[in-house]
Amino acid sequence: MPQGFHRGRRLRRTPALRDLVREHSVDAGDLIQPYFVDELLDSHAVSPIGSMPGQFRYGEKALVDEAARLADAGVGGVILFGIPKEKDAIGSQGFAAEGIVQRSIAAIKARVPQLLVMTDVCCCEYTSHGHCGQLCGEDVENDATLRLLQQTAVSHARAGADIVAPSDMMDGRVAAIRQALDAAGFPQIPVLSYAVKYASGFYGPFREAADSTPAFGDRASYQMDPANVREALREAQADVDEGADMLMVKPGMPYLDIVRLLRDRFPHPLFVYQVSGEYAMIKAAAQLGWLDEKRVALESLLAFKRAGADGILTYFAKDFASLK
């Protein structure tokens, strides 16, 4: 063997050595658990989501109990998605003062004030047509939708949300929301922008869970083309210029190159969303005995951190302790 020959295995020989030189790690505090709160359910009820084993729609009181357990586990926080009793053309329950998400925010903060509550700011869960804004014919009208998003963000802040996260991909939404929050007396509430959100096929199980499948067409006219990279930089830069405090890439695993690109370009806190389809694939393969669920779930979370994400929205968050 040549003198000085590299022996990488020296540092892999024991668990203690591997722990000592490990470059990246995932902690419970890095994770955000998405929750679906359903106004149609009895307050204490939970309803399983067929395409997302282990995930549920929650009644209001059941959600608060679940949030308390999550806080005890040390998970970083939650993001809330609402399913209202009634939907209309502009998604008015999304910004109603006593809407399902607004009530849930207040109830969680009353029970576990230390738990970070993030909210999804979009219209798709609340509109009768399932699109992410106000329609003109069959097209989502950008500037009219901005007004709805402003109302939604302010209503969430008034209810006690710690972070608002617009996911609609309307042009100018971050500036509009920042202006509305400041004018309403909430300059301290940060905006986590879904800066780079692709028109992905990985959202299918979420649309079942949130009852938000478009009644016609798709969302390709406002979400990004999966083929595009440079566009991601333009979108992220626009949101930074408009006042975004944090950035997010969605989906996660198919877009690790985009996570790395944004990490290298922007100093802002960077999040990634491990979406419903990613979660469902791991769960389905594990149920068939094709994958080790714990090992693959942890490996996928490490991949996000290795690519440069500071935080991860993932349906594995609540089970993270049992995965380790």
Side-chain angles (χ1 to χ4, degrees), residues 28 52 54 57 119 179 182 212 256-257 304 316-317:
M52 299 175 68
R57 292 183 180 186
T119 61
Q179 180 185 38
D182 292 352
S212 63
L256 290 177
D257 59 324
F304 299 132
F316 286 113

Side-chain angles (χ1 to χ4, degrees), residues 71 75 126 148 177 186 195 209-210 220 227 231 234 237-238 252 266 271:
V75 172
Y126 307 96
L148 305 179
I177 289 170
F186 299 105
E231 183 183 4
R234 294 197 301 272
Q237 186 65 63
F266 299 99
F271 286 74

